[in-house]
Amino acid sequence: LWAQPAAAVTLSNNDSKTYKITVTVKTKSEDHELAPGKRLVGFCKTGCVIRLNGSAADDYELEGTERVSIESGLVYYDGEEVAPSSDATPK
């Protein structure tokens, strides 16, 4: 049997500026810089809070299975992250 990879959050920056993203899981925080057109992939596997540019007003709670994007300074839900099936053929 093949184990399915766990889903995790994918965050895309569809905006025209770079954002500081703080990812907090329980009590541990980690900062990332996300440039326009870039993605942060595979983080927040069991749920977390993301914060844009250090502002508590811009906190977003995620379950760990979402695809989200930044547009016009806001985070939008794009759908669920789906783990690839074991029979998928790479292109």
Side-chain angles (χ1 to χ4, degrees):
L1 290 189
W2 294 95
Q4 291 291 328
V9 171
T10 297
L11 173 62
S12 302
N13 184 355
N14 297 338
D15 214 338
S16 60
K17 70 179 201 171
T18 297
Y19 287 90
K20 174 185 169 189
I21 309 298
T22 303
V23 178
T24 304
V25 178
K26 296 183 182 180
T27 59
K28 183 180 175 192
S29 294
E30 189 172 297
D31 291 330
H32 303 272
E33 292 289 323
L34 194 59
K38 298 296 182 181
R39 296 186 309 161
L40 190 57
V41 179
F43 70 100
C44 187
K45 295 179 181 178
T46 59
C48 65
V49 173
I50 61 170
R51 178 176 286 182
L52 299 183
N53 292 329
S55 171
D58 293 324
D59 280 0
Y60 298 87
E61 188 171 341
L62 303 173
E63 293 179 7
T65 58
E66 299 92 345
R67 283 182 298 114
V68 293
S69 60
I70 302 171
E71 297 178 31
S72 301
L74 300 172
V75 173
Y76 290 92
Y77 177 78
D78 295 330
E80 292 293 311
E81 192 66 64
V82 179
S85 68
S86 59
D87 63 346
T89 304
K91 293 183 178 183

